[in-house]
Amino acid sequence: MARRLKTFVHVGGNPYGPDDEVPPEVAEQIGEHAWEDDSGEAGDEPTRVGYDDPRTSPTSTGEAPPRSGRGSGIDAWRRFAEQHEVEVAADASREDIIAACEAAGVVEREE
């Protein structure tokens, strides 16, 4: 049975969604929790969390994510850092990513 993504994920800085064909080498990097069986039945809608499409979220416009509330998670900050070519470790926390963005001068320090 074919599989499809339940929601949007990012691999290597590239977004993939329920309607995208995911290359095999990318699919290997995505956890089982992100997949569902593609039954092909009409009316099945993928579960979407947060913004419907990360390609149109506030960070896709170059705007920094909020520091609290909706859209302030680690994925949003990691995407923002990647867009601004700020290097962060793969295991960096959200706070580490924000600090790196501050150090690179792409966001102002919050006092």
Side-chain angles (χ1 to χ4, degrees):
M1 182 175 278
R3 297 187 318 166
R4 73 180 207 161
L5 290 168
K6 291 180 186 179
T7 188
F8 287 90
V9 298
H10 285 82
V11 178
N14 297 310
Y16 296 93
D19 297 324
D20 294 330
E21 193 165 320
V22 180
E25 63 274 7
V26 174
E28 292 175 356
Q29 299 177 51
I30 301 172
E32 289 299 316
H33 65 281
W35 297 97
E36 66 183 359
D37 289 335
D38 185 10
S39 64
E41 293 179 21
D44 288 347
E45 286 295 317
T47 303
R48 292 201 164 106
V49 178
Y51 293 99
D52 282 348
D53 186 339
R55 293 170 279 208
T56 59
S57 72
T59 57
S60 68
T61 63
E63 183 181 325
R67 294 188 187 222
S68 63
R70 182 177 180 178
S72 66
I74 190 168
D75 292 336
W77 277 99
R78 187 172 300 282
R79 187 169 48 254
F80 178 77
E82 288 172 359
Q83 289 172 347
H84 290 84
E85 298 179 0
V86 176
E87 291 189 30
V88 294
D91 62 346
S93 68
R94 184 181 78 88
E95 290 73 23
D96 293 338
I97 296 169
I98 293 171
C101 290
E102 289 174 344
V106 296
V107 294
E108 292 186 27
R109 292 191 193 284
E110 205 171 65
E111 301 288 327

